[in-house]
Amino acid sequence: MPALELVEAPALDAAGQMGLDEAVLTLHSGLLARLRFYRWQRSAVTFGYSQAFALARELARSRGLAGAELVRRATGGGVVFHDGDLTFSVVFAWERLSAPSLVYKDIHRGVHLGLKQAGVFTRVWSRAKPSAAPVSPQAACFGGPPEPMDLVREDGVKVLGGALRRRGGKGLYQGSLRVDALAAPLSTVRRAIAEGLGRKFRLAPERGLAADWLSHGRRLSEKYRSARWNRRR
Amino acid sequence: MAKPESCRFMKSHEWVAGEGADAAVGVSDHAQSEISDVVFVELPKLGRRVKQGEAVCVIESVKAAFDIYSPLSGEVVAVNEALVKDPALVNRSPQEEGWLFKLKPSNPAELETLMSWGQYKEFLETAATHGH
């Protein structure tokens, strides 16, 4: 069974978080998976790889986050407001090309089981969209009805959405969990996620990221800070 | 545009057809099926020089972005503009209207490093059996 290593990193802004995730994706090798909980310096907004900057800015304004840092992710998906969510990433071996829905199912089921163990009840949304529904991502991650493989509360309210990038046989998952929608303390939820994902992987002890990985992340964060990256669409 | 039998394939599921100034590149039917509903294709810039195995474009399906690699070294001489308006062409017609870009290969001998259709089918069967 491959191991899941919980890695610790300093508090960062959004460009720093994105740069560090890309650094881990780039430097990662082998079957080990790495789970990192973000520590935010301040509220921020991230948006999907192919989304328009103007749309993300508009949605940030309507959320009351007009002055927040606005950063394009390397992963797909919609606009995410990091204003009280629990954001985490998982980097893992994704050698054989497989459907993204299977990855979401694995990760979200792991989180579901971890939360259940902690007494927090959720379910993985399995209802498919009507076949006539357009195939297009939602503008905002939490802006519409749940999509298949989202994690929802028992009453159907979405609590966890994720986005993926596949590069060179490796995958990066970035997830946003609305802790405010769950009646559980942050520390409980955090532990539940690690233990839930640890059911698929063998949970290894937490450790800090190596200094060279952090410095590679800092270098990559400059891309995520640039207008060329964020405003290219 | 390109029957699978006349293409060469990468392990990362890109195909290339032709050896001249217009070697077309796309993703296989297997790849489009796994990637699922394509909503966006980021095409390479015309004139870009790429190396074999270099990430050259990105395909996004619902909430997942995939790096796409160049099967050969060379210069990008055409891109499929139809994908800008209709990215789902990759799903509907991965070997024909859903091609991604065309290359002028700089080292045609690299073709020999790629799999034939028969070898690619075998590769898919082995990967399915062994789970990777």
Side-chain angles (χ1 to χ4, degrees):
Chain A
M1 181 191 273
L4 174 73
E5 187 176 77
L6 189 54
V7 292
E8 176 76 18
L12 297 165
D13 61 9
Q17 305 285 12
M18 298 299 116
L20 187 53
D21 273 350
E22 186 174 344
V24 176
L25 178 64
T26 306
L27 299 171
H28 178 91
S29 65
L31 290 175
L32 183 77
R34 288 189 162 88
L35 164 67
R36 181 173 75 89
F37 291 104
Y38 292 22
R39 291 167 57 208
W40 289 102
Q41 284 179 342
R42 63 188 82 91
S43 294
V45 179
T46 62
F47 56 105
Y49 183 82
S50 63
Q51 287 193 294
F53 178 83
L55 170 70
R57 186 173 52 191
E58 189 49 44
L59 290 174
R61 266 199 203 115
S62 62
R63 178 80 174 190
L65 291 168
E69 189 187 5
L70 200 53
V71 174
R72 183 183 300 279
R73 296 189 304 271
T75 53
V79 174
V80 181
F81 307 118
H82 303 286
D83 56 351
D85 70 330
L86 174 61
T87 319
F88 63 99
S89 62
V90 184
V91 173
F92 57 97
W94 190 358
E95 290 179 294
R96 183 185 165 211
L97 179 62
S98 57
S101 59
L102 298 178
V103 178
Y104 290 121
K105 187 178 175 184
D106 269 355
I107 293 180
H108 291 181
R109 183 165 167 75
V111 174
H112 155 76
L113 291 172
L115 288 170
K116 185 178 173 187
Q117 189 77 19
V120 181
F121 294 96
T122 58
R123 61 193 161 105
V124 178
W125 189 256
S126 57
R127 197 173 303 165
K129 280 183 176 178
S131 57
V135 177
S136 57
Q138 286 173 359
C141 181
F142 292 90
E147 294 177 299
M149 303 306 148
D150 282 341
L151 197 67
V152 301
R153 280 193 321 212
E154 285 193 302
D155 60 1
V157 171
K158 178 175 174 177
V159 292
L160 171 63
L164 286 167
R165 178 70 179 245
R166 184 174 186 267
R167 174 179 292 171
K170 294 178 278 185
L172 165 65
Y173 166 94
Q174 293 173 322
S176 170
L177 192 142
R178 292 309 313 188
V179 185
D180 45 8
L182 296 173
L186 178 62
S187 57
T188 302
V189 172
R190 212 182 118 121
R191 194 169 54 246
I193 291 173
E195 288 177 0
L197 293 176
R199 297 170 75 109
K200 178 169 174 58
F201 303 94
R202 180 170 45 82
L203 194 57
E206 186 166 355
R207 71 173 185 94
L209 273 175
D212 56 331
W213 288 41
L214 291 170
S215 60
H216 191 47
R218 275 194 294 277
R219 280 195 295 278
L220 287 170
S221 71
E222 293 311 311
K223 174 179 83 176
Y224 292 98
R225 231 175 280 289
S226 70
R228 189 176 176 197
W229 169 261
N230 288 316
R231 295 175 183 253
R232 65 192 166 85
R233 280 171 60 84
Chain B
M1 170 177 277
K3 287 191 176 2
E5 294 81 357
S6 61
C7 294
R8 307 290 288 191
F9 294 83
M10 297 180 83
K11 284 185 177 175
S12 48
H13 307 287
E14 293 81 1
W15 56 259
V16 58
E19 299 176 24
D22 61 346
V25 176
V27 295
S28 70
D29 185 54
H30 170 80
Q32 71 75 23
S33 160
E34 294 293 347
I35 289 171
S36 71
D37 304 314
V38 175
V39 295
F40 174 76
V41 179
E42 185 179 65
L43 296 163
K45 287 205 163 54
L46 280 176
R48 177 174 164 186
R49 290 181 186 280
V50 299
K51 288 184 179 161
Q52 185 181 41
E54 185 179 331
V56 282
C57 56
V58 173
I59 289 180
E60 186 175 332
S61 65
V62 182
K63 299 198 293 180
F66 295 81
D67 284 18
I68 303 299
Y69 301 91
S70 180
L72 300 174
S73 304
E75 181 183 342
V76 177
V77 292
V79 294
N80 188 356
E81 298 286 356
L83 296 176
V84 176
K85 282 195 172 167
D86 188 5
L89 273 175
V90 173
N91 296 118
R92 293 201 304 274
S93 179
Q95 293 274 162
E96 295 186 13
E97 291 105 293
W99 62 277
L100 300 172
F101 58 93
K102 291 180 182 175
L103 277 174
K104 180 180 179 184
S106 59
N107 182 8
E110 287 174 343
L111 271 175
E112 298 310 311
T113 65
L114 304 174
M115 291 180 282
S116 66
W117 171 234
Q119 290 168 323
Y120 179 65
K121 280 196 296 187
E122 208 170 288
F123 166 74
L124 291 179
E125 282 164 20
T126 307
T129 306
H130 295 283
H132 56 77

